Amino acid sequence: MHILNKSFGRALAMTAIMALAAFGFLFSITPANAHTSPGGCDSTGVSLSLTVLRADGTTPVGAGTVTPGETIKYRATLSHAGGTNCNYEGGDLDIIAPDGTNNDVDGGVIPLVSTSTPFVGSLATYVVSSADVSGGFLNASAVYSGGTSHLGGNVTPVGANTPAATTFEKLPSEVHTEVHDPAHIDITNGSVFEGTTVHDKATIVVSGPAPTGDVTIVLYGNGTCDLNPPIDGAIYTSSGGMAESVDYPALAAGSYSFLARYGGDANYEPVVGVCEPFTIDPVQPLVIEKTAETSYDREWHWTIDKRADQTDLDITDGQLFDVNYDVLVSATSTDTNHTVSGTITITNPQGNPAMNITSVTDLLDITGLVTPVVCAPSIPVVLGPGESINCTYSKNVAGPVDTQNTVEVGVDGISGGTANAPVVWGAPDNEIDECITVNDTNAEGPQGQVVCAGDGSDSELFQYTITFGTDAPADVILECGENDWPNEARFVTNDTQTPGADNWNVHITVTDCFQGCTLTQGYWKTHNDSFKGGAPTDDNWDNITTLAELSGFFTTVNSYPVVGPNVPPFTWFSVFWTSPSGNAYYNLAHQYMAAKLNVLNGAAAPAGVASAITSAEDFFDSYTPASFSALGKKHALRTQVVGWAGTLGSFNEGTIGPGHCDEQNP
């Protein structure tokens, strides 16, 4: 007896067949060492069986059933077919499980199979699944192929298939339904208010593996099941048999019922749940009222523009000329701090259930969400029948862009509602710097004039005229030569005291002027009432003070033009008749008094003379004859005093300036 390795045997047979095919011949070859066993056998049949065992691998399932999730084992046996069939060996033995899995159970070598020595393969394990059930059975197969017969050649027919069917049993199940509101309160055979989101939960109770069939929840009207067509047909279907739920928020007031059905699968029988009736009671909508108020500030910004119809003007001595002035003030505005605010009142009508207000959302049509919305009591809050809640809101916005305000009220389980209010932008609540006070350095211009914007005009023009000339009735008295008349218009705002100003200058040249003439100090010291030499009095002395030549000379009283350090009596007349005696104070005083009287008499003083007059006045305002003399003759101030006296002397004597007068006809 020879035991062939199945792989080797197959390769040998295939090699022989391929070799003969190359020469055009194909016939059966008996191996050289083959012999019939038992003697005289002449057939190549096999006997194959498949047995189903419990998980212990020894207890047959037999006529029993298996259930989902159970572990079973398959065993395949090769036997001698009996009669004149020959012994055989080798080949391949497999078990095909119900799920299609191929299990090699021959261990790699199948020894001689004779009438007394069958071959039993290893066990193939399988876990029962309802997915593999066909017609209520689990079907497996044992397959043998490729063995070598002792008659010679392969076993024929090549392979044998033996099916094994195991009865599959469905498990008991039931469907339990619950109808409940959003808070999961059982309302079976009870009622909820209209707008409540109604849930139905279907739970499949099983005692085995997870079901795979569908659970369908059906909604019926009139509080009955299966007596009238469903309102929405099957409104929820779950697969896999797990506990599921469905929301149904759009039911009107009336009577309803839910019914759950389980269609069953290979594991479980179909089952219908209990009919669950309930009632939807009507609910009145919430009463929602709201207001929308607007506010904003307006800030005014002012400008001022001053101008005249003349910039450079040439006139002659004695001529009058009118210059026309315009002062324009204008305002523009900027609006800021735009705010929308208001109140919201929410009332739950009498006869309603208590309502849980979960949110109050306020929206502007352009700006969007308004926060915060402050409610008293705060949200969330439960409103009983007839109870109200008041809320306020305020929102700063970019500008007057919004036109409508909407509030949306959220209520637990039902639709809350909305309310609208128009957003209307009226006059500003506050105006800043809407008025100004205008003044002008020209007396003829606006003086303390109040101008306000927003009353129909945002600008105002002031117009006036000024007369220029060298004599009255001119508003501006000019001197011969070059004159400048700078003037300014200005304003200040009423709230922030913000100032603004603009100016205009008129340059006037006066020509053909009478320049006057000058007289010496000798003339002025003798032509007054106090001099007793018989010379006529010159009334120009009256231009000093009413005391004329007896006016104080830089004394503490009755002084012209300024108060000085001297002590009365120290008059113009006494100073004129005081000999200098080497004190330059008196030299300057004599020339100063003569120059001052000449100017008051109409003589035009050149710039150098005018400067010397000013310097002399500053000197006399600080020094007395004694305090100056105490400085000493080498003091630097003495040089200046001597210089001023020389300039004024030249003016009085006609060397500089308009020239000397005829003393007989000054």
Side-chain angles (χ1 to χ4, degrees):
M1 179 175 60
H2 300 279
I3 300 175
L4 301 177
N5 179 281
K6 67 173 68 178
S7 299
F8 174 76
R10 290 173 185 165
L12 181 61
M14 184 59 66
T15 302
I17 292 172
M18 291 177 63
L20 292 173
F23 289 94
F25 298 96
L26 181 61
F27 53 86
S28 176
I29 299 177
T30 300
N33 60 350
H35 63 277
T36 59
S37 175
C41 64
D42 57 7
S43 298
T44 59
V46 298
S47 178
L48 177 61
S49 63
L50 182 62
T51 304
V52 185
L53 306 172
R54 298 292 180 183
D56 59 6
T58 59
T59 304
V61 172
T65 60
V66 293
T67 59
E70 180 181 356
T71 298
I72 60 175
K73 297 185 178 180
Y74 291 97
R75 183 174 64 204
T77 302
L78 283 172
S79 303
H80 192 274
T84 60
N85 284 286
C86 297
N87 297 337
Y88 57 94
E89 56 190 304
D92 188 20
L93 179 60
D94 298 315
I95 295 176
I96 311 301
D99 62 358
T101 302
N102 191 319
N103 298 273
D104 188 355
V105 297
D106 55 35
V109 177
I110 299 177
L112 176 68
V113 178
S114 65
T115 56
S116 60
T117 56
F119 174 77
V120 180
S122 60
L123 295 176
T125 301
Y126 169 74
V127 178
V128 174
S129 171
S130 61
D132 303 323
V133 174
S134 175
F137 297 95
L138 288 172
N139 297 305
S141 300
V143 178
Y144 175 67
S145 62
T148 302
S149 171
H150 282 209
L151 179 62
N154 292 336
V155 175
T156 57
V158 179
N161 187 307
T162 300
T166 303
T167 302
F168 179 83
E169 180 183 16
K170 291 186 177 181
L171 299 175
S173 64
E174 63 181 80
V175 176
H176 174 66
T177 61
E178 297 175 359
V179 182
H180 48 82
D181 66 10
H184 298 280
I185 300 173
D186 186 8
I187 61 167
T188 302
N189 298 316
S191 65
V192 294
F193 281 95
E194 185 177 21
T196 301
T197 298
V198 179
H199 305 262
D200 187 38
K201 181 178 181 181
T203 305
I204 304 175
V205 180
V206 299
S207 58
T212 58
D214 293 339
V215 179
T216 301
I217 301 173
V218 182
L219 175 68
Y220 293 91
N222 300 327
T224 61
C225 295
D226 292 327
L227 299 180
N228 59 329
I231 291 177
D232 247 345
I235 62 172
Y236 186 83
T237 300
S238 69
S239 60
M242 302 301 291
E244 301 289 352
S245 64
V246 61
D247 294 346
Y248 206 91
L251 298 178
S255 297
Y256 299 89
S257 61
F258 278 115
L259 181 66
R261 295 190 180 98
Y262 173 55
D265 58 19
N267 293 328
Y268 301 103
E269 294 289 347
V271 65
V272 177
V274 178
C275 184
E276 302 284 357
F278 59 94
T279 303
I280 303 293
D281 295 329
V283 176
Q284 301 177 69
L286 292 173
V287 178
I288 306 172
E289 301 171 290
K290 84 176 320 292
T291 64
E293 304 293 336
T294 61
S295 66
Y296 63 96
D297 298 332
R298 178 165 291 168
E299 299 179 6
W300 289 95
H301 313 282
W302 291 87
T303 59
I304 187 168
D305 181 24
K306 180 172 186 175
R307 60 187 62 199
D309 58 359
Q310 300 294 327
T311 301
D312 291 291
L313 182 62
D314 292 327
I315 63 174
T316 60
D317 187 18
Q319 180 184 358
L320 297 176
F321 194 92
D322 290 338
V323 176
N324 300 309
Y325 285 86
D326 288 345
V327 177
L328 176 66
V329 290
S330 303
T332 58
S333 63
T334 302
D335 292 342
T336 60
N337 301 327
H338 291 82
T339 302
V340 181
S341 60
T343 61
I344 302 166
T345 302
I346 305 166
T347 303
N348 185 15
Q350 290 286 356
N352 270 6
M355 293 194 181
N356 182 23
I357 309 299
T358 58
S359 65
V360 178
T361 304
D362 198 81
L363 299 167
L364 289 165
D365 56 341
I366 302 300
T367 301
L369 185 66
V370 176
T371 57
V373 177
V374 180
C375 299
S378 60
I379 301 298
V381 63
V382 176
L383 291 184
E387 293 183 343
S388 299
I389 183 174
N390 294 312
C391 306
T392 60
Y393 69 93
S394 181
K395 178 71 172 180
N396 291 330
V397 298
V401 295
D402 297 283
T403 60
Q404 182 164 283
N405 180 248
T406 301
V407 62
E408 299 176 354
V409 179
V411 178
D412 189 10
I414 67 172
S415 174
T418 63
N420 299 314
V423 177
V424 180
W425 298 93
D429 291 63
N430 301 300
E431 291 194 78
I432 303 169
D433 288 341
E434 72 276 18
C435 296
I436 59 173
T437 301
V438 185
N439 286 283
D440 199 305
T441 55
N442 285 331
E444 294 76 11
Q447 303 297 327
Q449 184 70 44
V450 177
V451 179
C452 294
D455 55 359
S457 175
D458 296 337
S459 65
E460 187 160 343
L461 176 64
F462 299 94
Q463 295 180 309
Y464 61 91
T465 300
I466 291 182
T467 302
F468 290 84
T470 54
D471 300 297
D475 300 311
V476 178
I477 303 299
L478 304 172
E479 297 181 354
C480 286
E482 304 296 324
N483 298 262
D484 281 290
W485 187 249
N487 52 92
E488 182 179 73
R490 51 184 173 268
F491 69 82
V492 62
T493 61
N494 61 325
D495 292 317
T496 65
Q497 305 302 306
T498 301
D502 193 24
N503 56 67
W504 188 270
N505 181 65
V506 180
H507 180 75
I508 313 102
T509 303
V510 180
T511 58
D512 298 334
C513 295
F514 173 71
Q515 298 292 314
C517 58
T518 59
L519 296 164
T520 65
Q521 61 165 317
Y523 173 86
W524 293 114
K525 66 191 294 186
T526 59
H527 287 71
N528 54 69
D529 289 342
S530 298
F531 179 71
K532 304 304 182 183
T537 297
D538 193 319
D539 59 6
N540 186 44
W541 275 104
D542 293 334
N543 289 324
I544 302 300
T545 71
T546 56
L547 296 178
E549 73 277 5
L550 299 180
S551 299
F553 185 82
F554 292 91
T555 66
T556 56
V557 294
N558 297 325
S559 178
Y560 179 87
V562 290
V563 175
N566 296 312
V567 178
F570 199 70
T571 66
W572 284 52
F573 185 80
S574 65
V575 171
F576 252 142
W577 287 98
T578 299
S579 174
S581 300
N583 190 342
Y585 178 97
Y586 286 103
N587 287 332
L588 177 60
H590 295 166
Q591 297 300 340
Y592 165 77
M593 289 187 293
K596 196 70 177 179
L597 286 165
N598 283 326
V599 170
L600 292 174
N601 201 39
V609 173
S611 176
I613 290 174
T614 301
S615 298
E617 289 174 346
D618 291 339
F619 168 75
F620 294 132
D621 190 38
S622 302
Y623 292 91
T624 65
S627 63
F628 175 71
S629 179
L631 296 177
K633 293 186 178 181
K634 293 183 178 181
H635 195 277
L637 180 59
R638 186 176 187 280
T639 301
Q640 291 180 295
V641 169
V642 171
W644 298 331
T647 298
L648 297 178
S650 297
F651 173 65
N652 296 328
E653 293 168 3
T655 305
I656 59 176
H660 191 265
C661 297
D662 180 357
E663 294 189 7
Q664 300 303 317
N665 186 20

